Amino acid sequence: MSQIGRAVYLTWDYTWSTLRTLWDVASHTFAKRDTVEYPDEMPYLAPRHRGRIVLTRDPEGNERCVACNLCAVACPTDCISLQKTEDETGRWYPEYFRINFSRCVYCGLCEEACPTYAIQLTPDFEMAEYNRQNMVYEKEHLLISGPGKYPDYSFYQVSGKAVSGRAKGEGLNEAKPVNVKSLLP
Amino acid sequence: MATIEVDGTSYEVDGDRNLLDACLGLGLDLPYFCWHPTLGSVGSCRQCAVRVYANAEDTRGRLVMSCMTPVTDGQRLSIRDPESQAFRDKSIEVTMANHPHDCPVCEEGGECHLQDMTIMSRHTERRYRGLKKTYTNQYLGPCISHEMNRCIACYRCVRFYNDYAGGKDLAVLASKENVYFGRHEDGCLESGFSGNLVEVCPTGVFTDKTLSRSYNRKWDLQSAPSICSSCSLGCNISPGERQGRIKRIVNRYHHDINGYFICDRGRFGYDYTNADQRIQHCSIRQSADVTEEAPDYRDAINAIAVELAGAATGGNLIAIGSDRLSVEANFALQTLVDEDNFYSGMDPVQHQLLQSVLGIYRRPGIHAPTLREIESADAVLILGEDLVNSAPRMALSVRQATRNLSFELARKSQIPLWQDTSVRNLAQDRRSPLMILSVAGTDLDAIASLRLSAAADDIARLGFAVARCLSDRAPAVPNLSPDLESTAAGIADCLLRAKNPVIISGTSCNTPSVVESAAQVAMALSLAKSNGQIRPSWLSYVLPAANSLGLAMLQEGNDDNHLERAMQRVLANPGQCTALILQNDLYARAEPSRVDAFFGNLKSCIVLDQQPNRTTDRANILVPTQTDFETEGTLVNNEGRAQRYFEVFATDNPSLRDNWKTIANMAKAWVNPGTGQGLPESLLALARCENFDDLIALLKNRGGLFGHWDRAAPNAAFRIAGLKIPRMPHRYSGRTSLRANIRVAEAKQPEDRDSPLGFTMEGAPINIPGALTPGFWSPGWNSGESLNKFQDEINGHLKGGDPGLRLLQSPAATDMSAATSSDWFSVPAATPTAANGRLLAVSLPRLFDGEVLSALSPALAQRAELPQLEIHPETAAAVGLVEGHIATIRLESCQLKLPLRFNPRVASGLVAVPADVKTAGILPPVLLPAAVTIE
Amino acid sequence: MSSITANILNVVGILVFVVASAAMLTWVERRMLGIWQERYGPNRVGPFGILQVAADMIKLLMKEDWVPPFADRFVFVVAPTIAMFVVVAAYAVIPMAPGIGVIDLNIGLLFFLAMTSLSAYSVMFGAYASDNKYALLGGLRAAAQMLSYEVFLGLSLMGVVMLAGTFNLREIVLAQQEQWFVIPQFLAMLLFFIAGIAESHRTPFDLPEAEHELTAGFHTEYSGMKFGMFFIGEYVSVLLTASMMVVLFFGGWLGPVLPPLVWFLLKTSILVLLMILIRGALPRPRYDQLMAFGWKVMLPLAMINLVVTGVLVLV
């Protein structure tokens, strides 16, 4: 008998759940719409929204990018390429920096990989072009004049590498260079 | 053999090794810094701690440094137990305390042993908050960058540079935690092996400055297995390319040849391939001053075919090969013009020298040793060769050979050989005998037990005297001074007492008697040591160029076709002949005035070359050729090993084709217009060659030494899991963006129909044959140290087999007592003493600017010493010359002006002329030795 | 107005009305689904997005009329035609209001059943002709599903036939003047509704074209207007199912105050909306569940309904 009881219960259960589902869905008829009617109405994009990629400068106004290639290797679509070069004081910077936005998926892995906060994604996504070739951005298109989301960080201050205006031992948390000729213990 | 149990698994290992060595050899991951397969253990970094248990019942065990602990049978140890892991974590935390935060701007980043080991030791968070130590850096020359902040004080650099390579100008300075690895003052590192510091240093203290100019990470460099063509040793290298430029060269391990190290000429001498001056387009010169620049490649080939067909019908076609290019390119040329019209491009002496070297190598009782074998020799006799400059990597091997005595002593004292410091302390200055007979001293003299400077013929006479001492059957040397008699006896005695003596000679002296005397010593030694059973003596020749022996093999049996013959033929038929010259600057091969006459009497001159030079200036039709990085081929090194090298990258210049392919295209264009009637079958076969394997099949058909030519490396059909071997690392970046500025749609990857390698990152880089391994990488091991995953044991053979094919196996032991007097070489007369202002000029090989292509690299050019004439002070006094004087040497039409430098190591009566590229253009070294006037 | 003109007006009017409202339904469905999912749905083309249909139509017509080279060309072209034809033809017997209806067959119900059975061919032909594994799987599923559900589709209607004593649909409507058949035949109504959804292979019974498993099922290879015909055919059959239910169970055009046609359309619309709601709410069952549900639950229930109705009618 319990089998029949179970069958009755299941029939009831299924029927009820079906009807309840129908009611739940129907009850949305007069709910508020979630859709934001872009472009009539511009949505709010958080500062950390992953849109157009920029290259930032450090607080001193120098290019932050040191051409370490980590963004390029982190990129799942291999759409970043750059070439390291250096100035006469040994400061690394990219000779060219190219992002093929027609391949970019805005995953933000480049930003995560960047050890100098140079590459940052910004809340701008309106980059459509009629000609795909225009989606290729070079350094002059990418480089902005400010520090972006991280106003204070300056890589060469903590790198321990001597560059212009900052000799060995002049960075943050650095001791004066070792005097090799000293015989003191 | 011993059995050890690591983390519960039993393994069979070599009982003479240390635990670290054994574990790495088994493919286990164990961090280390200061240990190095060839530099041994010093136990300074404390990173390779493991827990060793006393016996099967022991559960507590104790921590030991695995690199300082010998393997014992039945040993139980654990790499993964928590305590040793924690120890290694703490240890690396301290090591890293002062390490700068500059990985992004460090050239080592991405192939850094320190990075790998930090990850492997699981040190992820920095806790040290104190001030970081800093150091000022030094200028170490154009090849090596210095960044002392990164140093972890493993001492590998000085152990390599001083102890292993015999350098004098790198030292550990200061004390305690202030130790500083550098020179006493800014300046170029002098050793010709300084480039290995880049690979020896586990972090970024010493990095490749030539790479840094236009730096790319290891994961972005496309590589292919390549062979260094800067000398005759055939070291295996792995060049890295990005965006059409070779960026750097690293060592590619070959058990029998270069091992872990290559010389600086090989490492930094690649820039000729990136040179702006390179010939990029075909050009046709209609008349003397009108040049049609950049005709289409097809048009140029068709024009050449017309010339060739015209010249061939009159029997006026000649071709000149190159001893620097692959066997295949030379073979194609030889096939194109027919064997009788193919000339080696070498002067008669050098040509004959190489033929006799080839003959000597095939004699019974002679074995051409590998560099590894030379390292194991316990007595070395060098006849007339300045190895540091003519075959640098061999000099490094000879240096190791002198250590065999210390190993012998260590064995007696039961000190394990990997206990590097102990072994060195034990031996102090005691070395295995190294006997150097040279014309002007060598850089190995400091560790030589016997050094003697003499003119080439006198060196040869001493060699013959040694042979006479070893065997009565060798001819006696007349008129030898008693001093030299006793020296010869001493050498002979030394060779006889040694277990594995090796005799090294070569073509640098350009003197047949030197080559012959070395063979004589080797044969006499075999005879003297034969004990019923012949044991071949080790005899190694240093040859002039990367493929000298390969070219000699191609001309075997037709061994009279040298440059002089070609010139005679042209001069006998003025205005008749058409010459096809394959990458060979004839002005460095013969007296310039004679070369001028040669070109002046040609009807037409077709030159294939990559760099502009005086020969290309004389070309009527000029076709660019590819460098060794852009094409494939096979080189035969000085021990007769055929080694294949592969295209590192595909050029996008339509005028640049594989050298052999350009020649095959000429054949095609020649055959196509007609029906091919009357043309030799070999030419038709060449015209049918579509890919490299077709050409190899043709070459194989020649039989003889070439009978197994296809075994040098797998052919283009070879696949692993259905895929070609990737040239790119699996994480090659920027694929969709590198060329996006030109065209945003990605181009198809170039196809490679000539080799089993692909221009791709697809394919599993596992179980690759040794000859096809582009470079070394293994998960978790991004640096070159990943090599241990590719070896069957540490310092052992590559798992995929050692690259290359030995063509000259030592013949089966035959009875040497049958040797007749005709088998012995005859003794030359002594060099007459200098008279009436005439001196014997000899040529001295040069490391950095002695090889025509590598000398074009700015880094090497900067390191080369200024060319100077060297002379013994007494000789100078005899002819009335003072040091610093700009002396003029005259030989026939050549006139050379160089400053004079006194060098007491130069034999008396000699003036040594540097064989650098510039000087060679004025006074070709092949003209020497010769009596010259000097003033 | 002559009877011929009236007939032509009837035929053309109903045809245009059916096809147009089916097309409109595509928009209605998308809007309604949007509303139930707290979105807007298509609202850009014309007022309330009502011209979306026109835009879609233009798009479909402008598309390349692609027949895959590996397809069986003739069958490939014929299949969507059948799909469209059978449902529109079945609509001929629907009495929308007194005087409105194409034909007044005395076996109208059987004609409806015959036509719906034929629609299985369109799916199978389309699937076979496509020479595509997804299409084939979709076709197999469709054939089995339609065959299974047709059985109790027919059986569930027999109760109504017994009560009305006729196969003529107009007479069935008139037989409901006292009482809509939904009251005595509530179970039959449910069965017919479920079977109807299954016959028009709509969610939750859209296994023949289950996107997640079969791309687009039997019409994977179709594009342009040929796809459009399958697409519109599906909505005509939605309309057809709803209309049949109104005719058979909800008293057709019968109703107070309002004109008969308005009553009919009102009742049909409510049922269509219910079908859309079901699509928006219920998940798709597994294939074996679908078959088990048909044969083990629906068929016995239809039998019981038939027997009970028969007994009651006799008694």
Side-chain angles (χ1 to χ4, degrees), chain A residues 68 78 84 98 100 103 160, chain B residues 149 212 731 736 738 746:
Chain A
C68 71
D78 283 352
K84 174 256 173 187
R98 185 178 303 135
N100 178 356
R103 286 286 186 209
Chain B
N149 278 4
S212 184
R731 206 33 275 205
T736 64
L738 271 176
E746 285 96 39

Side-chain angles (χ1 to χ4, degrees), chain B residues 634-652:
Chain B
T634 312
L635 300 174
V636 182
N637 78 349
N638 73 321
E639 42 149 341
R641 184 190 298 266
Q643 298 189 97
R644 184 113 348 123
Y645 60 90
F646 295 95
E647 200 175 345
V648 179
F649 66 106
T651 57
D652 44 13

Side-chain angles (χ1 to χ4, degrees), chain B residues 876-930:
Chain B
V879 291
L881 294 170
V882 290
E883 188 161 25
H885 170 69
I886 310 285
T888 309
I889 284 185
R890 287 207 178 78
L891 176 65
E892 297 175 41
S893 64
C894 309
Q895 183 178 340
L896 176 70
K897 279 188 184 182
L898 280 178
L900 205 60
R901 185 166 76 105
F902 284 179
N903 179 357
R905 291 194 294 177
V906 177
S908 67
L910 262 54
V911 56
V913 180
D916 66 284
V917 175
K918 279 210 186 75
T919 312
I922 303 166
L923 178 65
V926 290
L927 300 180
L928 306 176

